[in-house]
């Protein structure tokens, strides 16, 4: 594809609901990253994959957050039992050769 | 551990005047350094990157940055600002502990650049 795509672009949910955010990386990119960006802040690392293997999940804030990339391409970030503090922009990036290319992000609002 | 400090949260310049966005970093290894730009309601776009080659790095849209190890700085400059440069800019570091694989990026807090006519 032309670039990294994410869906949905906007998600409004009620506290306590589960949400799944999808990332479709650039075709052929081995590495995929998830970041979270609060308003007025820079993005913060959540987790990353090489192929289907989760290499580092040190940035996931708690066990309500999980991510998978079962076939080494599309990835899903799942947040269970959402809380208002989870409201943020969730960004995905893919890379090949050291440069990360970012998608447009999913803006999550938890009411 | 790696960290980034962007010294100015807001910078305001007049169109046609030089731009300087300041960044200091901390890294345990040989760092890779990047500048990304974020226009309103758009994704992050890579401006330029330093990966231990030439210390003066040229990027897109006339921007450049100089890696100064002794000062642990990676300031972003442009000789003449354009209205379209108005955006938020992020300085970013990635540790490369002896290898060529890249891991997580650590972003600074961002600098909002305003360009006045």
């Amino acid at each position: 594809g032309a670039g990294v795509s994410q869906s949905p672009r906007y998600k409004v949910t009620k506290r306590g609901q589960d949400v799944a955010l999808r990332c479709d990386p650039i075709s052929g990119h081995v590495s995929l990253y998830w970041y979270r960006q609060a308003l007025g802040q820079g993005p913060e690392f959540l987790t990353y994959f090489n192929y289907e293997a989760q290499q580092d999940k040190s940035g996931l804030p708690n066990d309500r957050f999980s991510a998978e990339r079962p076939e080494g391409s599309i990835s899903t970030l799942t947040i269970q039992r959402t809380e208002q503090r989870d409201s943020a922009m969730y960004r995905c990036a893919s890379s090949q050769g050291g440069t990360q290319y970012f998608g447009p992000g999913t803006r999550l609002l938890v009411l | 551990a790696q960290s980034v400090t962007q010294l100015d949260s807001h910078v305001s310049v007049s169109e046609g005047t030089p731009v300087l966005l300041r960044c200091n970093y901390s890294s345990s290894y040989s760092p890779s350094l990047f500048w990304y730009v974020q226009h309103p309601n758009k994704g992050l776009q890579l401006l330029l990157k330093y990966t231990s080659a030439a210390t003066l790095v040229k990027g897109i849209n006339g921007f450049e940055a100089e890696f100064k190890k002794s000062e642990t700085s990676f300031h972003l400059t442009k000789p003449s600002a354009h209205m379209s440069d108005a955006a938020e800019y992020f300085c970013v570091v990635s540790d490369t502990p002896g290898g060529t694989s890249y891991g997580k990026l650590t972003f600074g807090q961002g600098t909002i650049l305003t360009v006045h006519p």
Side-chain angles (χ1 to χ4, degrees):
Chain A
V4 178
S5 61
Q6 293 184 246
S7 61
R9 293 291 308 277
Y10 301 91
K11 177 70 176 178
V12 181
T13 190
K14 293 183 179 180
R15 188 180 51 173
Q17 297 294 306
D18 297 350
V19 296
L21 311 180
R22 172 183 164 130
C23 173
D24 197 344
I26 294 172
S27 178
H29 278 195
V30 168
S31 301
L32 184 147
Y33 302 78
W34 284 100
Y35 294 83
R36 180 170 69 173
Q37 185 175 12
L39 208 58
Q41 304 287 323
E44 292 184 335
F45 171 82
L46 294 177
T47 185
Y48 95 94
F49 295 82
N50 280 340
Y51 299 103
E52 73 281 358
Q54 193 169 19
Q55 299 291 327
D56 183 349
K57 55 181 182 178
S58 62
L60 295 177
N62 52 61
D63 60 8
R64 294 186 297 105
F65 287 73
S66 63
E68 63 175 6
R69 193 186 184 198
E71 298 179 359
S73 180
I74 293 168
S75 176
T76 302
L77 177 70
T78 301
I79 310 172
Q80 295 179 312
R81 305 181 303 280
T82 52
E83 301 178 5
Q84 287 183 329
R85 59 179 171 158
D86 299 333
S87 296
M89 175 74 82
Y90 289 82
R91 297 194 182 276
C92 172
S94 68
S95 76
Q96 186 85 339
T99 298
Q100 293 186 27
Y101 298 91
F102 283 81
T106 294
R107 184 166 295 283
L108 175 65
L109 177 61
V110 182
L111 301 177
Chain B
Q2 55 192 29
S3 66
V4 176
T5 302
Q6 292 184 241
L7 301 173
D8 306 289
S9 58
H10 290 82
V11 170
S12 181
V13 300
S14 298
E15 191 175 21
T17 64
V19 175
L20 170 63
L21 305 183
R22 298 181 295 164
C23 172
N24 288 113
Y25 70 91
S26 172
S27 173
S28 302
Y29 305 102
S30 299
S32 293
L33 294 158
F34 309 79
W35 277 96
Y36 280 84
V37 60
Q38 181 174 300
H39 290 273
N41 300 317
K42 293 192 176 180
L44 289 157
Q45 181 184 19
L46 179 69
L47 271 181
L48 50 81
K49 65 178 181 179
Y50 164 78
T51 55
S52 76
T55 56
L56 182 62
V57 182
K58 294 188 183 298
I60 62 172
N61 300 334
F63 284 94
E64 61 182 38
E66 185 172 8
F67 173 71
K68 293 186 176 180
K69 186 175 181 179
S70 61
E71 299 176 10
T72 61
S73 69
F74 190 59
H75 302 334
L76 181 70
T77 60
K78 182 174 180 177
S80 176
H82 191 273
M83 295 295 290
S84 60
D85 294 329
E88 187 166 21
Y89 292 78
F90 293 98
C91 183
V92 183
V93 65
S94 177
D95 273 339
T96 52
T100 57
S101 63
Y102 295 83
K104 64 183 181 182
L105 301 180
T106 298
F107 284 74
Q109 294 295 306
T111 298
I112 295 173
L113 175 65
T114 302
V115 182
H116 298 286

